Amino acid sequence: MIDETGQRILRLIDVHKDQIIAFAEDIAAHPEPGYEEFRTAGKTAEVLKNLGYKVTEHLARTGVKGTKSIKEGPSLTVIGELDAIGCHSHPNANPVTGVAHACGHHAQMAAMIGCAIAMADPDVQKCLAGTVNFLAVPAEEYIDADKRARLKKEGIEFCCGKSEMIRTGVFDDTDIALTTHVHMVPVEEDFYLGNPACNGYSAERVTVRGKAAHGAIDPWNGVNALSITTSAIQMMGLMRETFREEDHVRLHNVIRKAGDVINSVPDEAIVETKVRAASLDKICEITDMVNRAYAGSAYAFGGKIEMEKLQGYMPIIPRAADNALIEAADDLGLNYRTVQKGDFNNACTDVGDLSHLVPVVNFTFKGFEGKLHGADFRITDPEKAYILPAKLLALTAYKLLKNGGQEAKKITKSYTPVFNKESYIQYVKNTIE
Ligand SMILES: [Zn+2]
Ligand SMILES: [Zn+2]
């Protein structure tokens, strides 16, 4: 049964429905790439300031945090992702950057703002113990090697937003993170509660060195970097039969460069390679295989390989649906299912990294059509994609922090982190050195 404060929370979100939907649509109409979400961040900061939160901007370049410490108690951080995904063919793609909100991050931003509206109310705050943070995080989507190199010169050491925020201490005062996303695994129901296991990945930029020669006069004096590259990629293809289903291995390559002029033997090729798998050990094992394919191919042709390791994302540590989340979904009468053992998300997210440091209470939602990252992705039901997720976030936050933060404390007590900030930073640095 929903209590009086719970009802007040729902009313507050209903009263501000038009504002929340307008916020979502405005962000969808102005998509920005990772670490360049200046406009989206500015809008978010403005709304949070108007609601009376203490706002900090330019965290990990574009991140925004609104905070309200209410009473001694657990610190809860509600997360929204700022960035759009490269998808030139999407009808709402920015013509210059080619990014569009085809991963639905504008919907989670709207849900976060809706939740912030309800939590800003003094009568709601009276019933809470603890701190609420609303954190708009940059760069969830993959950042390519060239852009990473540029960002590094500007002080961004870790490639993805949450990771860079862990490194720079933004999550130091977070006890529990609350995250949302549109459905990433195929779920019939409107809501999917809990955090299913998901892949992590490793990435590397490989420069293949050959030797230039005239393509017709004396090709026998050249070493063909493109031949080395295609042979290595073919080997990876043949290795696929050794991948086990339960490891969820996915292997992708993009050839960024493969020679300069067609009448010469290509002497340089550049490939970006990504290995996804369900565990950190499996990622390392398959990455070794990939590297053997490059080395073996270079050996066969007499060329050389230069390898630049790039930071990956960690797999999510799965988490069943917490009581507060289930109760909130029941109060709302939602059509939902909970994460079951064996559920798996083949995509990757930097929420995986965060789940190694703090408990991540998560749900995903519907209200859209088309394929994630596809040109046909669009929100079709603002109620299900913006308003109900805002209500679910707010009711869950309320249930976690009411009664002296009892439910939140239960969650933090039963959670054992894999890393603290220092050991996390060290681990990431080891993977890229
Ligand atoms: Zn995405
Ligand atoms: Zn996404």
Side-chain angles (χ1 to χ4, degrees), residues 103 105 140-141 373:
C103 201
H105 294 183
E140 187 277 330
E141 303 287 357
H373 291 198

Side-chain angles (χ1 to χ4, degrees), residues 81 83-85 102-105 140-142 181 184 347-348 372-373:
E81 289 162 347
D83 61 331
I85 172 81
C103 201
H105 294 183
E140 187 277 330
E141 303 287 357
Y142 180 85
H181 200 280
M184 287 188 280
C348 300
L372 221 56
H373 291 198

Side-chain angles (χ1 to χ4, degrees), residues 367-430:
F368 66 92
E369 264 177 23
K371 293 177 292 298
L372 221 56
H373 291 198
D376 59 350
F377 178 90
R378 62 195 178 100
I379 298 294
T380 48
D381 189 334
E383 183 72 23
K384 280 184 187 167
Y386 310 140
I387 305 302
L388 285 174
K391 289 180 174 174
L392 186 55
L393 276 178
L395 274 189
T396 304
Y398 164 57
K399 286 173 190 291
L400 289 172
L401 296 184
K402 71 176 187 178
N403 299 330
Q406 209 175 293
E407 278 299 312
K409 284 177 189 165
K410 267 192 220 160
I411 290 176
T412 52
K413 233 183 228 164
S414 61
Y415 173 82
T416 314
V418 177
F419 297 115
N420 60 25
K421 185 171 96 178
E422 287 68 33
S423 60
Y424 170 78
I425 292 172
Q426 202 47 55
Y427 182 91
V428 173
K429 284 191 170 167
N430 289 346

Side-chain angles (χ1 to χ4, degrees), residues 194-211:
N195 222 356
C198 87
N199 270 338
Y201 77 83
S202 72
E204 51 197 21
R205 177 162 59 178
V206 180
T207 304
V208 181
R209 299 248 179 251
K211 198 164 87 181

